[in-house]
Amino acid sequence: MNTFNHIVVAYDGQDESQAALRKGIDLSKQLASRLTVVHVYQEEHVMHTRGVQPVIPRAPANGYLTDNLQNYPVAPDPSQQLDQTHTQHDYFDNADQIVSRIKMKMDENQVIGEIEILSGSPSDAILNYAVEKNADLIVMGSRDSGGLKKLLFGGVSDKVSHNSAISVLIAK
């Protein structure tokens, strides 16, 4: 029988990952395993506002630039930058809420574990983290996608289970 010394639970706050978190907590308690809960965000969904990105002016309606400025950066509209900052803060507020929910669930079950926020493609981030940290088991939820969508894109749980060198438990 395999021994699971380090269990990694993938958590995104949805119902399916709630089941995975419960299962991961139960297993870590039963097996006296180290528990890490990971939450992944995709960087392209968060707008960064560090530094000013150059904005190329649009050509006027007639299609011609009168001052040949197409190669010079222009400072962005301050209202546009405010919207980007607002979006970034919204994401991090949501991440704080997710971390709070994980901590609360761990406290309720009297289990000590780590919480890691990862970035990138969810399947790649989960797999890379599990390998880097020598995890023995990945626990995650299964979100049932529609037939065509699942066929074309696959789900994160499908990608992780098919590409993982370690055991993967899909909780439902």
Side-chain angles (χ1 to χ4, degrees), residues 40-152:
V40 183
Y41 72 91
Q42 294 175 311
E43 287 183 338
E44 62 268 15
H45 293 167
V46 179
M47 294 182 176
H48 297 279
T49 57
R50 294 182 187 149
V52 176
Q53 297 294 323
V55 176
I56 307 303
R58 290 186 183 174
N62 66 7
Y64 297 97
L65 285 173
T66 55
D67 291 331
N68 197 16
L69 294 175
Q70 68 266 24
N71 294 322
Y72 294 97
V74 175
D77 180 356
S79 65
Q80 181 185 26
Q81 193 168 4
L82 234 173
D83 290 343
Q84 290 176 348
T85 304
H86 181 69
T87 302
Q88 187 176 21
H89 287 298
D90 286 349
Y91 173 77
F92 290 111
D93 287 345
N94 186 41
D96 287 343
Q97 290 172 2
I98 286 175
V99 168
S100 294
R101 279 189 247 150
I102 295 167
K103 285 181 182 177
M104 187 172 63
K105 198 66 167 168
M106 288 178 165
D107 289 346
E108 285 174 7
N109 288 279
Q110 300 174 344
V111 67
I112 297 172
E114 299 172 41
I115 302 170
E116 295 287 339
I117 304 295
L118 310 175
S119 65
S121 159
S123 56
D124 292 341
I126 293 164
L127 288 168
N128 291 337
Y129 182 86
V131 168
E132 287 172 14
K133 301 299 180 175
N134 296 316
D136 305 301
L137 177 66
I138 300 170
V139 180
M140 56 192 318
S142 173
R143 182 168 302 129
D144 294 328
S145 303
L148 182 59
K149 183 178 177 184
K150 189 171 185 176
L151 179 65
L152 292 175

Side-chain angles (χ1 to χ4, degrees), residues 11-33:
Y11 184 86
D12 67 1
Q14 301 299 319
D15 291 342
E16 296 82 3
S17 69
Q18 299 278 356
L21 182 58
R22 283 191 301 275
K23 182 59 77 178
I25 287 172
D26 290 346
L27 285 171
S28 73
K29 286 174 72 172
Q30 290 173 9
L31 303 172
S33 301

